Each structure stands twice: as structure tokens, then as C-alpha cells.
């Protein structure tokens, strides 16, 4: 997570133990014309320099936050019927979605074939009652909603990245490359991130050595020294969802600087008009997908 950018910022670490990396100002081509429609069109963007965490937030870091503040995550709270008017009453219990691979091939349009809502699932029990994060201190925290991420950032004296900042940092200095290290997924047969290998969602070959999450420094950093920007787990940004990026500026003088995403009132899911929960932009791919530098998932749920 970065702290909020300013127009003039000294290139000095916030403190010696901050675990942050400075990303210098620059202009890059944001988005993708080859994947999801909400990532298009590719357009030039300029961002000021900013600090960003070297790794995703770990279980150990999030535990320190919870112990210091008593924070209760969204997944640990019973949902309110007013927020989910079509929900069955017995389903209004605390929990979260858990990935459960089907036994065979599934319709990729039906995410319910591999996601299950389970009661009692949260960051301490990522797979449900009986599971734990013992031995996973250096793995990224999961089942964290946007409100939880924002609360952690405020406690740490930081802030949420914009989508533009996140994508610029993820590219590691490479503009328009498919991945943070170039255009080949596994150069020389070496896996560079924790992503899915095999036929999704039923066949996980785990050729990268991990079936689920991995320690946050298990794979090489990008050109800015940042880890897990396009693998392991999806990451929140502070921008609201928009179904399309703006067109590229016709002149260099008009390139947007430090842009923000869509409007809150435009972020609601048109397919679920009764649920008025703003959606934020998730980025980065995960161990359940293929991580590309422009890749974004737009949702309001937990990551």
C-alpha cells in the first residue's frame, strides 16, 4: 500500500523499517486492449513519484494490526439483510468465499462452479472451521474486504494506491510488456510468479511449487524491487470501478496526471440492482489465475 502522493516528495524512506519502496514519477501506457473490456482502451497516464509496500500485507502484519486495534473484518461480521435483500435468511451469517475446484471441466461463465460461500471463513481460518494460518506468517493475508484494507492502511499511516499507481508500480519500469519481467510467462521454464498452471478450475498442476498462496518473497521482484505484484493474491486499489477507461489523450499536454477511477454512483453492479454496494478495483492476478501487468478484477467482495 502506498502513502498518498504529493507534487513534491523527497526521495527518503518514511523510516528505516517501513518496508516500502520509492517508485519514481513517470508516464506509461495504462490498460490493455487484449483482455477484459474494462481494461480498454490503452491510454497514456502520468503519475507522480510515490512510496509503496515492498510486499503484500502478510498475516503477521495484519495480526499486529488486529491486536493493536481490535479490528473485526467484514468476513467476521454477520451481513445485514438491508444490504442483501434477496438473500435467504439462513445465509445471513458471517463467512466468505472459498475456492473449491470441481471434479471435472466447468462452464467458465459460472463462477459458482468453483466458489463456495462458507460460514466461519475469515483471515484466521482461510479454508473454514478447523483451518488456521499457523506457519503462514509470511503468506499474504486473505479474506480481506476493501474496508479492512483501508483500515489497515490508516493504522499503518499509509493509504490505498490508485489503479494507475498500482499498475505503474506493477510494470516495474517496463511499458506495455505482458508480464512484469517481459513477454514470456516462464522464461527458460522458470516460473516468475505464483499463478495457475493447468486447466482451470479443475486441474491445478502446481508446477510453480504452490497449490495455494506462497510466502510473499518466494518469487523474484520486479524492476522496482516489488514482490508479488501480479501473482499470489489479488490486491485492492482505492479506485471505484468503471466499465471502460477514457480514450488516449490526443496531445502530450493533455495526458492525465494522477488520475482516479470511476464515480461511486457508477460503480454499482447493473446485474444486481437491489445490492447498492460500491465496487472497487482489484488488481494483480493470483494463484487462481494468470497475472498480467494490466490485469484487473472489479468487485466489492473479499480478496
Amino acid at each position: 500500500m502506498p502513502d498518498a502522493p504529493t507534487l513534491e516528495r523527497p526521495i527518503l524512506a518514511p523510516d528505516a523499517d517501513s518496508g516500502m519502496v520509492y517508485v519514481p514519477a513517470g508516464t506509461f501506457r495504462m490498460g490493455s486492449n487484449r483482455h477484459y473490456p474494462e481494461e480498454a482502451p490503452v491510454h497514456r497516464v502520468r503519475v507522480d513519484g510515490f512510496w509503496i509496500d515492498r510486499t503484500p500485507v502478510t498475516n503477521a502484519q495484519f495480526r499486529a494490526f488486529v491486536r493493536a486495534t481490535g479490528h473485526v473484518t467484514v468476513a467476521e461480521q454477520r451481513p445485514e439483510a438491508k444490504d442483501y435483500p434477496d438473500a435467504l435468511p439462513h445465509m445471513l451469517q458471517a463467512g466468505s468465499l472459498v475456492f473449491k475446484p470441481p471434479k471435472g471441466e466447468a462452464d467458465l461463465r459460472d463462477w459458482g462452479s468453483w466458489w463456495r460461500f462458507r460460514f466461519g471463513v475469515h483471515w484466521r481460518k482461510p479454508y473454514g472451521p478447523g483451518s488456521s494460518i499457523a506457519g503462514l506468517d509470511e503468506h499474504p493475508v486473505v479474506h480481506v474486504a476493501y474496508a479492512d484494507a483501508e483500515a489497515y492502511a490508516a493504522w499503518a499511516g499509509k493509504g490505498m494506491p490508485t489503479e494507475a499507481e498500482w499498475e505503474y508500480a506493477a510494470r516495474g519500469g517496463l511499458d506495455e510488456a505482458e508480464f512484469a519481467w517481459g513477454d514470456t510467462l516462464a522464461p527458460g521454464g522458470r516460473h516468475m510468479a505464483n499463478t495457475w498452471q493447468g486447466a482451470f478450475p479443475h486441474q491445478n498442476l502446481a508446477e510453480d511449487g504452490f497449490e495455494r498462496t506462497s510466502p510473499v518473497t518466494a518469487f523474484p521482484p520486479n524492476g522496482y524491487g516489488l514482490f508479488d505484484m501480479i501473482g499470489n493474491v489479488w490486491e485492492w486499489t482505492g479506485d471505484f470501478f468503471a466499465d471502460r477507461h477514457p480514450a488516449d489523450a490526443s496531445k502530450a499536454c493533455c495526458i492525465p496526471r494522477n488520475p482516479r477511477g470511476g464515480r461511486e454512483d457508477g460503480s454499482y453492479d447493473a446485474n444486481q440492482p437491489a445490492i447498492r454496494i460500491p465496487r472497487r478495483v482489484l488488481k494483480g492476478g493470483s494463484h487462481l489465475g494468470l497475472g498480467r501487468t494490466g490485469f484487473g478484477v472489479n468487485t466489492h467482495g473479499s480478496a
Side-chain angles (χ1 to χ4, degrees):
M1 298 177 181
D3 52 350
T6 59
L7 295 182
E8 295 183 4
R9 181 191 301 260
I11 306 179
L12 297 172
D15 62 68
D17 299 318
S18 69
M20 302 185 81
V21 171
Y22 184 79
V23 178
T27 300
F28 75 108
R29 298 180 188 276
M30 181 178 174
S32 171
N33 294 327
R34 299 191 299 272
H35 303 297
Y36 296 93
E38 61 266 25
E39 296 177 334
V42 172
H43 59 294
R44 290 168 295 171
V45 164
R46 179 169 178 78
V47 294
D48 293 333
F50 58 94
W51 293 93
I52 192 165
D53 284 352
R54 179 171 167 264
T55 71
V57 177
T58 65
N59 284 317
Q61 291 171 319
F62 198 77
R63 183 189 299 114
F65 156 64
V66 170
R67 286 177 175 172
T69 64
H71 181 83
V72 178
T73 64
V74 171
E76 297 171 277
Q77 301 174 36
R78 184 184 181 91
E80 296 188 32
K82 65 180 179 61
D83 293 328
Y84 302 94
D86 295 329
L88 298 173
H90 73 276
M91 293 297 292
L92 293 174
Q93 298 186 47
S96 187
L97 292 175
V98 176
F99 176 76
K100 184 176 177 56
K103 294 182 179 179
E105 294 184 7
D107 182 351
L108 296 181
R109 296 168 296 181
D110 179 17
W111 60 266
S113 297
W114 57 86
W115 287 110
R116 298 286 187 275
F117 184 81
R118 294 191 62 187
F119 304 141
V121 173
H122 50 78
W123 72 276
R124 292 188 185 91
K125 298 182 182 296
Y127 308 118
S131 66
S132 78
I133 55 172
L136 302 180
D137 275 4
E138 297 308 309
H139 285 236
V141 64
V142 294
H143 299 293
V144 171
Y146 179 79
D148 305 318
E150 191 173 48
Y152 174 89
W155 170 78
K158 303 176 184 180
M160 301 298 292
T162 66
E163 182 181 5
E165 288 173 335
W166 191 97
E167 187 172 327
Y168 180 62
R171 293 181 180 276
L174 299 180
D175 198 12
E176 293 193 284
E178 188 79 351
F179 307 100
W181 50 86
D183 292 315
T184 302
L185 175 61
R190 182 187 184 190
H191 289 281
M192 303 294 285
N194 183 356
T195 59
W196 184 277
Q197 299 91 51
F200 186 85
H202 64 285
Q203 181 191 48
N204 187 353
L205 300 177
E207 294 172 344
D208 56 16
F210 298 96
E211 184 178 359
R212 296 282 187 166
T213 60
S214 54
V216 294
T217 58
F219 293 88
N222 70 8
Y224 290 138
L226 303 172
F227 290 87
D228 278 355
M229 293 298 284
I230 60 171
N232 210 359
V233 294
W234 295 302
E235 301 180 22
W236 287 111
T237 75
D239 283 359
F240 289 110
F241 165 76
D243 59 9
R244 192 166 178 82
H245 283 314
D248 192 26
S250 59
K251 299 179 180 179
C253 63
C254 303
I255 295 173
R257 182 176 184 178
N258 301 322
R260 297 305 306 255
R263 294 164 49 95
E264 178 178 349
D265 58 8
S267 71
Y268 301 111
D269 189 349
N271 295 316
Q272 301 183 78
I275 299 178
R276 304 292 288 175
I277 298 178
R279 290 184 294 171
R280 302 276 182 168
V281 178
L282 279 170
K283 300 289 284 186
S286 80
H287 62 285
L288 298 177
L290 184 60
R292 297 185 176 93
T293 51
F295 181 77
V297 179
N298 298 292
T299 182
H300 61 261
S302 299

